[in-house]
Amino acid sequence: MKYGHFDDEAREYVITEPQTPRPWINYIGRQDYVGMISNTGGGYSFYQDPRYRRLIRYRYNNAPRNVGGRGLYVRDAESGEYFSPTFQPAREPLDDYEARHGLGYTTIRGEKDDVAGEVTYFVPPGEDLEAWRVTVENNSDESRNLQLFSLVEFCLWDAVDDSSNYQRNYNTGEVEVEDSVIYQKTEYRERRNHFAYFACSADIDGFDTQRDAFVGQYNGFDEPAVLEDGEATDSIAHGWSPIGSHQVDVELEPGESEEVVFLLGYHENPQDDKWAEPGVINKEYVEETIEEYLDPAALDESFTELEEFWADQLSALQVETPDPETDRMVNTWNPYQNTVTMNLARSASLYETGLTRGIGFRDSLQDQLAVLHQFPDRARKRILNLAKIQLKDGGAYHQYTPLTGEGNADIGGGFNDDPMWLVMSTAAYVKETGDTSILAEEVVYENEPGTEEPLAEHLQRAVEYVRERRGPHDLPLIGHADWNDCLNLNCFSENPDESFQTAEHDVEEERAESVFIGGQFVYAVEELAELADQTDLLPESAEEYQRYADEMADAVADAGWDGAWFRRAYDHFEDPIGSSENDEGQIFVESNGMCGMAGIGREDGKVQDAMDSVRERLATEHGIVLHQPAFTEYDERYGEITSYPPGYKENGSVFCHTNPWIMITEAKLGNGERAFDYYKRICPAAREDISDVHTTEPYVYAQTIAGPDAPTTGEAKNSWLTGTAAWNYVAITQYILGVRPDHDGLVVDPSIPAEWDEFSVHREFRGATYEITVENPDGVESGVDRVEIDGDTIDSQTIPDLGDGEVHDVRVVMG
Ligand code: BGC
Ligand code: IFM
């Protein structure tokens, strides 16, 4: 069952039924001001930090869900009937409803009894505010006496305090109303000097700022007292729960409509004006902005700017394939999700509260892989920022706090895969841009802020970190965990009555090993070897790095091989995990994907065997699950992974992040059919028809899809902020369609379904544009017979880096 459809031309997802199985959201704003808008107008907003600068309250685990925060109501003053054009919060059934999620904006339209309300939400580029452009329309044949009510439920800045410290925050709330602007100035008198405003373009007929006055003591947002009575109370909040609500009376003749603009904005005084008079907000800072953006003409202009921004962002890579679902993901939705994920890391969604997590080292480095061609400069900056939370021993803090840039000491380090992602992403950055100067950038270490070393040295330390921390099988020590946060193997006793995971222990005693990191090391250090061929900025030679990689590959091929697939790890007692010797967790996808991508043992058939085993044991119609069999009981020796019921999250769900590793490996083996088949199994657009099963948005990837061991198999969870987006984009564009940046140019090496007879890729690369057409006259899955550039055949699969600002026609004939 579907709840809408794609409008490919407009690059919008159109939702035609408000009661989607979960809130289906969109993100607005991409710099400091960020908001989430659901298909019923819910969600929340913040400035820079979703915890400390939260503007709108959101109740994460609420029933009915996704209510509060934002609201719009249209009321007929004569009949007293009212509805929300966004369906919620009034939840009055609508005669007509449509929500359009576009790139950086959402438009929702609802009609009832011949009155329509339409609202477009977006953040004008460069501004710290969200605009709601609301139009009320009289589609009946009589004049109507209507009232529009807005609603914003302010969060008192620190979102944790907001939901925990009521003895304080029921007293701190302060507001001010001047003309049509409601100022939320809570805590302004304290040290922070920031305030929010909720402005309206119309002369208002009333307002409310105290929630309980608006809602009524015993009503909900679906039947607020003010809507029941038809009149705002002009309440001023003194403590309790400040809100902003305007009442605008609108008289409309038949066929007439009226636009009203609302602005929810944030302001922070400049540093030199930090200590304003206590309690007196500096409205003069925002007056001009408010006036400017209440004017629809200014909003038109910034909306055009927003559209141009996105057109430009997407223009570097566009494709045309025989598969429309692939096209809509690759051309629009996947890069859109990549950008949102790059901006927010894993911090704020409807599932990530923004209260506890910062920017993850591992996560954010992987996010860069997909945006390098879109905004290489921002990616460069982020890579260098991340390198700052590396530790001098080559390890890294696992996360940093965006407001301060400091490593998160509560979580610390000890995730032993972390350093390798720095190597992988830096190498990918250089392949895209050719800019080796990043390696010379001086970067500090988190634990030695006084010591700056070139990024090249950071990479070297990353390599040494893994090389120096190896266990009894010469495989890398896993530390607290590798990519799989929940595989926690350093448990020090086999006695189940003792609590080992939590016991204080000396890191020196940790012995559990990771085959996954072994594969990752081979992959990353071979990249480093290639990089060393390009530049002498790295401390060691290509041969030396290759020797390290080969050494590790031998250890993996030896102790990491189970006979038909790669093992996953060894626990503290040297017992294998991910082996046919185990009862549960016999085979894991991660190590097979990573060792497969690294090509370990490819020459003697190991990679192909591993892929066959994955297909036989892990591939389901909803994607490839993490492992089989799933763990049925909590087992301290494996840690958090066994805390999940079978089929969920790290315990055997389709953890979508890992699937592209298999797609890439299959593509590298030339198995185009399989690679693409896996791509389609988890492709959100391809799952649109089973939206009632999948439940999350059909236009973005979710982190997990419940595996076959789960009672709700096929159900997705935790959509939007996931490394799944970046890796799937890499898999489809670089390995299946096969156009990938390399140091000397763009490699063209497709691995596609045999029945595809042609596809094309528009790719901008280092200043030139390549219009690539791939023909497949013999119906093969892989293999390239001929490459022509501007009519001339070249003797290679690599389109040279022409860098001449020109457009070049590239014809590739497979065979
Ligand atoms: C989740 C992981 C997550 C980790 C850190 C665990 O409970 O299962 O997916 O990465 O927490 O937040
Ligand atoms: O690899 C992690 C990621 O860093 C955060 N989400 C879960 C993944 C698997 O545990």
Side-chain angles (χ1 to χ4, degrees):
M1 181 185 169
K2 302 208 295 182
Y3 296 83
H5 58 267
F6 287 88
D7 180 342
D8 294 323
E9 193 71 24
R11 298 192 193 273
E12 290 174 337
Y13 192 80
V14 187
I15 301 162
T16 48
E17 156 60 57
Q19 302 192 51
T20 48
R22 307 266 157 226
W24 285 2
I25 70 159
N26 192 15
Y27 282 81
I28 56 171
R30 58 171 196 274
Q31 283 156 345
D32 292 333
Y33 191 104
V34 175
M36 274 149 264
I37 310 276
S38 79
N39 59 307
T40 57
Y44 59 98
S45 300
F46 58 90
Y47 173 81
Q48 283 189 349
D49 188 298
R51 173 174 172 180
Y52 293 106
R53 299 286 189 278
R54 179 74 69 92
L55 274 90
I56 302 186
R57 179 166 300 133
Y58 190 78
R59 297 171 183 82
Y60 290 90
N61 196 351
N62 202 17
R65 63 191 167 211
N66 198 25
V67 176
R70 285 190 200 89
L72 262 186
Y73 305 82
V74 176
R75 184 175 188 275
D76 185 313
E78 270 138 45
S79 68
E81 302 281 320
Y82 58 91
F83 68 99
S84 289
T86 49
F87 181 62
Q88 294 225 77
R91 259 191 316 280
E92 192 56 34
L94 298 169
D95 300 336
D96 206 17
Y97 159 91
E98 188 182 86
R100 289 181 168 260
H101 285 316
L103 306 183
Y105 67 90
T106 288
T107 300
I108 308 176
R109 183 190 162 85
E111 182 160 346
K112 180 141 185 95
D113 299 335
D114 298 323
V115 172
E118 181 173 306
V119 49
T120 296
Y121 305 91
F122 74 104
V123 176
E127 298 296 339
D128 299 328
L129 61 90
E130 65 183 64
W132 309 3
R133 296 188 74 162
V134 180
T135 306
V136 187
E137 224 175 85
N138 176 4
N139 293 329
S140 71
D141 44 21
E142 41 196 277
S143 54
R144 304 284 285 262
N145 224 336
L146 304 167
Q147 300 170 305
L148 179 64
F149 289 88
S150 66
L151 170 69
V152 157
E153 206 189 350
F154 293 117
C155 185
L156 303 178
W157 307 119
D158 178 345
V160 168
D161 244 26
D162 186 71
S163 59
S164 56
N165 197 1
Y166 301 104
Q167 60 80 27
R168 172 179 162 79
N169 59 38
Y170 278 166
N171 294 284
T172 53
E174 284 187 281
V175 298
E176 213 172 297
V177 182
E178 192 178 299
D179 301 329
S180 300
V181 189
I182 295 166
Y183 292 91
Q184 129 81 328
K185 55 180 204 172
T186 302
E187 303 216 327
Y188 194 81
R189 61 179 65 246
E190 206 198 345
R191 63 189 180 282
R192 273 167 261 194
N193 270 9
H194 47 237
F195 61 89
Y197 54 86
F198 190 36
C200 172
S201 62
D203 290 335
I204 55 175
D205 297 284
F207 64 85
D208 272 285
T209 68
Q210 182 58 277
R211 186 192 63 202
D212 292 352
F214 177 81
V215 170
Q217 289 293 346
Y218 293 95
N219 296 26
F221 289 108
D222 55 340
E223 283 186 340
V226 161
L227 269 293
E228 291 289 307
D229 299 346
E231 200 172 5
T233 72
D234 295 355
S235 58
I236 292 289
H238 303 287
W240 299 115
S241 312
I243 59 158
S245 174
H246 308 93
Q247 174 187 338
V248 181
D249 296 347
V250 189
E251 267 175 55
L252 294 177
E253 293 306 314
E256 212 189 349
S257 67
E258 187 169 322
E259 179 171 6
V260 181
V261 176
F262 297 94
L263 303 176
L264 172 63
Y266 174 88
H267 169 77
E268 199 162 288
N269 287 353
Q271 276 302 319
D272 57 5
D273 192 10
K274 212 165 145 57
W275 300 103
E277 212 181 311
V280 181
I281 52 174
N282 305 96
K283 294 182 193 136
E284 60 277 13
Y285 283 123
V286 297
E287 275 161 359
E288 231 173 83
T289 307
I290 293 178
E291 199 187 312
E292 180 180 351
Y293 287 100
L294 284 179
D295 175 6
L299 290 176
D300 282 342
E301 210 174 290
S302 40
F303 195 77
T304 305
E305 208 183 304
L306 182 68
E307 288 177 316
E308 285 168 357
F309 169 82
W310 276 108
D312 179 57
Q313 283 294 300
L314 300 179
S315 66
L317 205 178
Q318 290 286 296
V319 304
E320 214 179 305
T321 75
D323 183 55
E325 285 154 0
T326 299
D327 290 2
R328 61 176 61 119
M329 289 310 299
V330 173
N331 293 335
T332 304
W333 294 100
N334 199 344
Y336 184 54
Q337 183 179 7
N338 292 339
T339 311
V340 170
T341 309
M342 146 79 182
N343 290 343
L344 293 168
R346 307 294 173 271
S347 65
S349 69
L350 295 199
Y351 314 101
E352 304 277 13
T353 59
L355 307 179
T356 52
R357 282 171 77 141
I359 306 265
F361 191 84
R362 169 204 294 147
D363 296 335
S364 191
L365 282 164
Q366 290 174 86
D367 295 343
Q368 304 316 306
L369 298 173
V371 296
L372 292 168
H373 63 293
Q374 243 177 275
F375 37 79
D377 297 344
R378 286 192 57 207
R380 187 184 201 272
K381 223 162 139 188
R382 180 67 73 84
I383 291 171
L384 292 168
N385 272 337
L386 287 159
K388 284 188 203 156
I389 61 161
Q390 208 186 2
L391 303 165
K392 190 87 185 278
D393 68 4
Y397 265 136
H398 198 49
Q399 289 178 13
Y400 77 88
T401 311
L403 270 187
T404 61
E406 276 163 23
N408 182 342
D410 290 344
I411 298 175
F415 294 80
N416 285 350
D417 62 315
D418 270 339
M420 288 298 100
W421 299 113
L422 184 64
V423 178
M424 289 164 78
S425 298
T426 305
Y429 167 82
V430 178
K431 282 183 171 175
E432 177 67 43
T433 59
D435 167 27
T436 48
S437 77
I438 190 173
L439 295 168
E441 292 287 350
E442 298 277 336
V443 185
V444 295
Y445 294 94
E446 162 69 32
N447 56 345
E448 280 191 34
T451 314
E452 278 195 331
E453 284 183 347
L455 181 64
E457 196 57 48
H458 283 248
L459 303 188
Q460 182 70 18
R461 288 182 187 274
V463 172
E464 280 159 16
Y465 181 91
V466 176
R467 289 194 72 225
E468 283 163 10
R469 286 169 181 72
R470 281 185 282 175
H473 301 89
D474 250 351
L475 292 167
L477 294 178
I478 196 168
H480 178 69
D482 59 25
W483 172 86
N484 191 327
D485 281 327
C486 301
L487 189 62
N488 314 128
L489 300 177
N490 280 306
C491 133
F492 289 84
S493 164
E494 284 178 292
N495 178 354
D497 294 332
E498 292 166 22
S499 185
F500 320 103
Q501 290 287 341
T502 49
E504 287 286 322
H505 64 264
D506 189 345
V507 180
E508 302 282 306
E509 293 167 31
E510 292 185 354
R511 302 172 70 222
E513 299 166 281
S514 163
V515 177
F516 173 87
I517 302 177
Q520 196 195 10
F521 181 91
V522 175
Y523 186 111
V525 178
E526 284 190 347
E527 292 284 328
L528 212 51
E530 286 180 28
L531 201 52
D533 272 336
Q534 305 296 315
T535 161
D536 47 21
L537 289 166
L538 287 163
E540 295 191 68
S541 67
E543 293 67 38
E544 203 57 5
Y545 291 124
Q546 192 56 52
R547 195 173 64 76
Y548 297 160
D550 291 345
E551 231 176 64
M552 186 67 82
D554 287 345
V556 170
D558 185 15
W561 185 248
D562 198 60
W565 58 82
F566 291 98
R567 292 181 169 172
R568 179 63 178 85
Y570 282 90
D571 69 12
H572 182 74
F573 312 99
E574 295 185 38
D575 291 328
I577 290 171
S579 159
S580 52
E581 289 173 28
N582 300 109
D583 293 334
E584 294 178 338
Q586 291 180 334
I587 169 171
F588 283 69
V589 73
E590 313 90 288
S591 48
N592 286 290
M594 195 49 83
C595 298
M597 287 200 295
I600 298 172
R602 179 171 168 169
E603 49 307 328
D604 54 31
K606 286 199 172 68
V607 176
Q608 185 62 61
D609 286 352
M611 291 305 104
D612 292 345
S613 299
V614 165
R615 196 160 183 86
E616 194 183 311
R617 291 164 173 259
L618 300 179
T620 78
E621 62 177 307
H622 298 293
I624 306 165
V625 293
L626 272 184
H627 56 266
Q628 280 290 294
F631 298 101
T632 47
E633 282 174 28
Y634 181 67
D635 186 341
E636 192 124 66
R637 297 202 341 164
Y638 295 163
E640 189 179 343
I641 190 171
T642 57
S643 70
Y644 287 108
Y648 293 106
K649 279 284 262 186
E650 276 87 346
N651 189 13
S653 75
V654 175
F655 216 102
C656 298
H657 186 131
T658 61
N659 282 217
W661 298 340
I662 302 298
M663 296 169 204
I664 292 171
T665 306
E666 291 283 17
K668 282 185 158 185
L669 290 170
N671 301 328
E673 297 276 355
R674 281 191 183 185
F676 189 67
D677 167 38
Y678 290 141
Y679 175 74
K680 289 302 291 276
R681 292 189 199 200
I682 62 166
C683 173
R687 297 173 64 77
E688 188 193 14
D689 283 339
I690 54 160
S691 286
D692 47 335
V693 176
H694 185 77
T695 73
T696 58
E697 299 91 334
Y699 41 91
V700 290
Y701 287 96
Q703 183 191 49
T704 65
I705 300 174
D709 301 290
T712 61
T713 174
E715 180 191 46
K717 282 184 182 159
N718 194 7
S719 54
W720 277 97
L721 305 181
T722 159
T724 305
W727 274 107
N728 272 283
Y729 189 74
V730 170
I732 185 73
T733 59
Q734 299 189 11
Y735 291 90
I736 298 177
L737 302 179
V739 179
R740 64 175 166 269
D742 205 343
H743 293 295
D744 307 324
L746 268 184
V747 174
V748 189
D749 188 19
S751 235
I752 56 170
E755 76 265 16
W756 282 17
D757 53 6
E758 192 175 309
F759 69 91
S760 62
V761 176
H762 161 100
R763 180 66 151 93
E764 293 165 18
F765 178 68
R766 300 192 202 168
T769 302
Y770 302 92
E771 300 294 355
I772 306 166
T773 309
V774 179
E775 297 163 23
N776 186 17
D778 301 335
V780 295
E781 290 180 51
S782 59
V784 165
D785 182 50
R786 195 160 75 247
V787 179
E788 287 169 19
I789 302 178
D790 299 324
D792 297 328
T793 304
I794 59 164
D795 189 20
S796 154
Q797 270 178 254
T798 305
I799 308 167
D801 169 17
L802 297 171
D804 55 6
E806 302 287 320
V807 180
H808 298 279
D809 283 321
V810 180
R811 177 168 174 244
V812 178
V813 183
M814 294 178 70

